[in-house]
Amino acid sequence: MEIQVQAQGSLTVVVLTGEIDGKTAPEVQSRLLPLAENGRKLVLDMQKVTFLSSAGLRVLFLLNRAASSGSGKIFLTGLVPELRDTMSVTGFLKCFQLFDSQEQAVEALR
Amino acid sequence: MEIQVQAQGSLTVVVLTGEIDGKTAPEVQSRLLPLAENGRKLVLDMQKVTFLSSAGLRVLFLLNRAASSGSGKIFLTGLVPELRDTMSVTGFLKCFQLFDSQEQAVEALR
Amino acid sequence: MPDTSSRIDYYPTHEYQGFHLRPGHPYPFGATILSGGVNFSVFSSHATSCTLVLFDKGEPLPRVEIPFPDSFRIGNVWCMVVFDLDCESVEYGYRMDGPFEPAEGHRFDPTKILLDPYAKTVSGREIWGQDPDWQQPFPHRGRLVFEDFDWEDDRPLERPMEELVIYEMHVRSFTRHPSALVKHPGTFAGLLEKIPYLKELGINCIEMMPVYEFDEFENSRKSPTTGETLYNYWGYSTVGFFSPKAGYAATGRWGMQVDELKNVVKEIHKAGIEVILDVVFNHTAEGNEHGPTISFRGLDNKTYYMLTPEGYYFNFSGCGNTLNCNHPIVRSIVLDCLRYWAAEFHIDGFRFDLAAILGRDPWGAPLPNPPLLESLAFDPVLAKCKLIAEAWDAGGLYQVGTFPAYGRWAEWNGKYRDDVRRFVKGDPGLAGALATRLQGSPDLYGWNGRGPTASINFLTCHDGFTLLDLFSYNEKHNEKNGEENRDGANDNHSWNCGREGATEDPPVQALRRQMIKTALSILLTSRGVPMLWMGDEMGRTQEGNNNAYCLDDPTNWLDWNLTEQNRDLLRFVQLLLRHRKAHPLLRSKKHPCFHRGGFEEYPEISFHGQAPWQPDWSEESRRLACLWSGRDRQDAPAFLYFAVNAHWEGAWFALPRIPRCWHVAINTGMPAPEDIFAPGEEVLLSDQSGVFLSPRSAMFIIGK
Amino acid sequence: MPDTSSRIDYYPTHEYQGFHLRPGHPYPFGATILSGGVNFSVFSSHATSCTLVLFDKGEPLPRVEIPFPDSFRIGNVWCMVVFDLDCESVEYGYRMDGPFEPAEGHRFDPTKILLDPYAKTVSGREIWGQDPDWQQPFPHRGRLVFEDFDWEDDRPLERPMEELVIYEMHVRSFTRHPSALVKHPGTFAGLLEKIPYLKELGINCIEMMPVYEFDEFENSRKSPTTGETLYNYWGYSTVGFFSPKAGYAATGRWGMQVDELKNVVKEIHKAGIEVILDVVFNHTAEGNEHGPTISFRGLDNKTYYMLTPEGYYFNFSGCGNTLNCNHPIVRSIVLDCLRYWAAEFHIDGFRFDLAAILGRDPWGAPLPNPPLLESLAFDPVLAKCKLIAEAWDAGGLYQVGTFPAYGRWAEWNGKYRDDVRRFVKGDPGLAGALATRLQGSPDLYGWNGRGPTASINFLTCHDGFTLLDLFSYNEKHNEKNGEENRDGANDNHSWNCGREGATEDPPVQALRRQMIKTALSILLTSRGVPMLWMGDEMGRTQEGNNNAYCLDDPTNWLDWNLTEQNRDLLRFVQLLLRHRKAHPLLRSKKHPCFHRGGFEEYPEISFHGQAPWQPDWSEESRRLACLWSGRDRQDAPAFLYFAVNAHWEGAWFALPRIPRCWHVAINTGMPAPEDIFAPGEEVLLSDQSGVFLSPRSAMFIIGK
């Protein structure tokens, strides 16, 4: 699991690489929860995420809840079709605003 | 609630002042748990603690558990009779090693 | 904000081979995720010791076996918190030691690893039909679930019972056929894509055939005739009562079946449709003494099963064993299970397979006041759930009309099915029976105050012919099941309309279509709760198989091409459901009154023959009409005249006079689209004095 | 270490007046601390809406009232998580709206704030006897508890039933007297200081009179004779079934009664002593229609109480109302309650006050197979708990010997008490009855296979005379209770030994002392489970009051000076208990055999009169001896000869021959210290052919 965080203006862009499962989810949570809670817009680039387990989904959801309880918001970009499908089928997808790519997200949210 | 922490050689002495109850317990916990977990001997001077609620007792217990799961240890000094009695009656007292005063503790543990 | 999250009870006090432990809480039973640890709790009345066996997901050998220390046992419950587990990757089971004395009822076997009966997910059959590893010593493994689904404002819909129109369906069959054109055929996710279809159809409740974890490979075998694999396809044989069938979930391979099913329920609820589960508490997948030891047999055989004095299994279920439902422990697990589904899955109701067994005592005798049925009826969590009994069992107990109801239980009304089938088919002597069924079966549910909502009215269900086959076959054709056509019921009250089986003969085809429409018209204008069987609305056939429990093939799969091929039939059913919805008179929760209760001097219901006010109750009568009168929606005066001519000859029915004009809503004797008109678009009858009913047809005529 | 503590289910989804909420879980019922929030769950079958009322500790007015949103209701359960509460300072209750239609059984009143029946602590009566604020609209308030007590390796002791010697006691009375010399008189903490006394006494089980929260001020009043306040002192009238009585805890004012009681249980267990609770599920503190609305009446009157067809309260308890124990909901709350006490407080067993009521149906008729009693008997959590019934009720149902036992239930053997009292007193015609009682009452428990452990043998208990008063009073003297001596039982089978009440007359005093010892000798050599009443071991008196339920004064308080004043009696009892312990023959869980089972050719039990092998069963017989034979500890041959002479004249008992020598262990006809010799120190009988028994004395002689 690799987590790259960079600020882009009012946005924070996070590039995630690898699998988010029960083993890596705590790391994702501890790195990103503070960002989600500080009220910024967070763009998660999921293009290189190859697997999202049940715990992985929950971390995304948790970040989203934490963000939206303040003035923040979470955006997902570049979800590969399998992940998108899993999220759709389990009902998690509709909690998030999606963009095809990081660039589109940055453009739209600028 | 006032919390004063000072290192005395291999010991860490903490002077607590005020009431430890549901409202102040979280502060005590967040300040002292890291100290308890780092394996040091922790002397809690309770002389100026005027009330220990149920949550207060639990914080002490938690610190003790956290300490003893590593190589640390918690000592209580100067418990006023009322607190001592409450701890005795509820069974919490026997988890702790007691000293009459901070000085005695420091002396004994030196 | 006070921090209540750091609870000292979650500090370990014991250690075993590097695993941190503390004494657990005995309830809730099962495995519960706490902050920092997992509480494992399991009980047995007769075991002498217990070991928790933990696996990493999919590994053949355990990661650790932790014997419960003796001080961790409270009563007969072993409970332990294990810390620092990866809740997602852990699989668990138990070893129980105790006597192996079959004559005494005990069959403990510490070489077996047992599934927790409270396991909330079960791995081992995640992908439907994938050949299992038969050497696997622990094939059905408990897993943990996060119980944190975001339901938003959803909850069970609590539709009044009398408003329901139930659609019985099989999850896999519903979308497995390639014609379903869904992304995940044969799954909960597939069902999600068909919600618009169900909504358009007009039903407001689906009843899912078993979705508790079962093993499709139980007794799997090759068909001697076709060579195809025969499965435990329907799933009436439970492995895990608390876990959704992983093989029914598109995400089952990731262990997300709980979330997937919850999401389906939530989305179905959004469409205004309830979800009822078909639950099988009469027996388990362990069969008799020759069956596998999966869970109950190894945990506490004597408690969970009804045993003969010699220690053999009573077989009131016809499936090898019988769950000992009125033992207090089994009562309690059934209640826990249903509470879990109602509370955590927002399930709206339950249909109990062979429910008569649930009223038997531990020696098989029917109880006058069965505590299990009573507990379910009065339970606060289940208070608004529909409780529907299949009020008979394979041991010969038949309780239709007499099932202990406690003001709550409804029944699959087998008498409704039989009487209406026979009347429609043209049997003599059934005019009176039909009148009773139309009223919501007051013979069964009137004297005891239960009312029409105790009656689930149906013509077809998964057991037996489809509606098309009911009018296409005189005899069952179950050869594909591989039992030389011995299985399945023989008394189907069916009629093949002149040719056995599929035919290109247009008159026969037309007659069958008409018979279907006539039969459905009766079903949807009867008081009580109508239930449709998946696909009957589009003329589905099982090619004469009336017991297709083992076939994972198009016999069971719903062919969605039929929605096109039989578009007129589908339209007929959609409009028929809209008519039922339009007329509260048909859906009252009381039986109708003969003497008053209608508009002005009209009785709420009256019966008629070819001459008004003169019903023909004679043995040879195959014709009956009834007039419903009362107040309709918007409190308008309502007159609904429903006539059936089950005779092979047409007949003139003179209409009773009403202070309104008669309009035709339905005439099953006419070809589409004149067979039915949408509510509000009924056609004024040119001759208000009467109507001609073609042979084997029904008409629904409303005054306005 | 994977972090499982950040669970998204604990993120709020709703808000009300600044409080963050989300839909709760329906079970467990009650208020449960979760990480970050508290789950509140309450149910009612007939309420129409529900509001959670939150107070800051002790404040007269609520901090907030949060109506449950409709989507937070599942079935009949309202459940909600409220975040960010200070668990320690919050007090809570509910308002329920619904019909007020007493004739229909409904008595909803939304002006009342109701105590949660599942509340685990209750505030409002924290300090015993402190005058309450009678204007307080919400006098009994629910509070939250931390369920994280550190039990280390403690758990219920699971002593075999036949090993028990029970000591019935009242928590407050035990140490309230100044002579107790404990730091916190009349509390659980006080009891802690007396554990060494109990251990030395030799009992191994205490039975606490009610410790569930009750209101000592229920019906409190001034005594018309003495002017002292009369309380609901004993507490047989429950306010909160899940909460320990705060006023019994030294730390009750800090809300720590749960920890204090748990610590007492743990410490008592360390002394090898079990703890049984006297539980009162037959009625509640709400009384009849004139009583206060505390909880059940306002939550769901019709469900919780047995009502007449007119909606009045059935009064099988003699206390104004009757809990509807065989309604499934009430069954379930009783089971939840007992499971809680067994699992979380490590309670070893329960004695059920007026338990016959627990076998009545909702209309009061006795059930042949009461599901509540059955469920308790088979429950896995309660599996090792002692279940003891007071097998009668105030409605006239008397079930001693016939209480539905399911192999589990024991009974207070009222017949034992009466027969032994009458025999000892010198009534004629009771030699046969005594023989039966010594054997563990096979007349009551033999035919049904229950055995002696079904019989709790006792001479005295909280109801009735103390043992000293039994031999000091012919009549009850209950004037202090303020009911003109009308209350209390009249049939006491007591005898004042010649003077009514206390006397300085030495012969009368000596006779009373001897009567006590004789009676206790019978009790402790009988098969079955002996029970002593607090203080009888030191000659406690209630001055002839046989129903001291309302007196918070020395009538009830145990005067510890008696341990000095009656040191010889205390010594007698201590040694008597050691003798019982020394002889497994007296404690078998089977009834003895007349024909075999003893050493060599001796039967296990044989009866004798003044001549060996010739018991006198005649009407005028007041003398009986029995010989126990078999194997004792270390498998040594055992011969135990127990003779009672209840006659007012002394008599010679010729001893049966045995292949050992007779040694005197007990002779109640002798003054201390010759009345009893410690086990192992028995005195060789100089004349092995026989013994002389003084009038009204007993001897226990052992062969060795």
Side-chain angles (χ1 to χ4, degrees), chain A residues 20-23 51-58 61 65 81 85-92 94-95, chain C residues 86 88-89 146-150 152 183-184 189 192 250-251 254-256 259-260 263-264 266-267 270:
Chain A
I20 313 184
D21 60 12
K23 291 185 179 51
F51 177 62
L52 257 182
S53 78
S54 185
L57 283 173
R58 282 169 165 77
F61 192 73
R65 272 284 167 75
D85 185 44
T86 303
M87 291 183 70
S88 162
V89 158
T90 51
F92 284 89
K94 61 179 173 299
C95 308
Chain C
D86 177 354
E88 228 172 39
S89 69
F146 299 107
E147 274 166 26
D148 54 2
F149 187 76
D150 183 21
E152 297 171 272
K183 186 154 189 187
H184 301 284
L192 212 50
T251 58
W254 314 126
M256 298 187 201
D259 287 323
E260 184 173 326
N263 188 45
V264 166
K266 181 172 158 188
E267 294 299 322
K270 279 188 189 159

Side-chain angles (χ1 to χ4, degrees), chain D residues 623-646:
Chain D
R623 298 183 178 112
L624 185 70
C626 76
L627 174 65
W628 297 94
S629 172
R631 297 281 172 175
D632 232 342
R633 289 200 295 193
Q634 286 95 37
D635 212 29
F639 292 94
L640 311 174
Y641 178 83
F642 179 69
V644 202
N645 174 26

Side-chain angles (χ1 to χ4, degrees), chain B residues 20-23 51-58 61 65 81 85-92 94-95, chain D residues 86 88-89 146-150 152 183-184 189 192 250-251 254-256 259-260 263-264 266-267 270:
Chain B
I20 313 184
D21 61 11
K23 290 183 179 54
F51 177 62
L52 258 182
S53 78
S54 185
L57 284 174
R58 283 168 165 78
F61 193 72
R65 273 283 166 77
D85 185 46
T86 303
M87 290 182 72
S88 162
V89 159
T90 52
F92 283 89
K94 62 180 170 300
C95 308
Chain D
D86 178 355
E88 228 172 38
S89 69
F146 299 107
E147 276 167 25
D148 54 3
F149 186 77
D150 183 22
E152 297 172 89
K183 185 153 188 190
H184 300 284
L192 212 51
T251 58
W254 316 125
M256 296 186 204
D259 286 322
E260 184 173 325
N263 187 46
V264 166
K266 183 172 156 186
E267 293 299 323
K270 279 188 189 156

Side-chain angles (χ1 to χ4, degrees), chain D residues 578-610:
Chain D
R578 285 177 57 193
H579 275 293
R580 182 174 179 86
K581 197 169 174 191
H583 300 297
L585 250 183
L586 302 176
R587 307 191 313 264
S588 165
K589 59 186 171 187
K590 295 194 174 147
H591 297 293
C593 181
F594 291 105
H595 306 297
R596 53 193 167 74
F599 180 71
E600 290 179 352
E601 78 277 20
Y602 288 82
E604 191 178 0
I605 195 168
S606 52
F607 289 98
H608 307 264
Q610 291 182 248

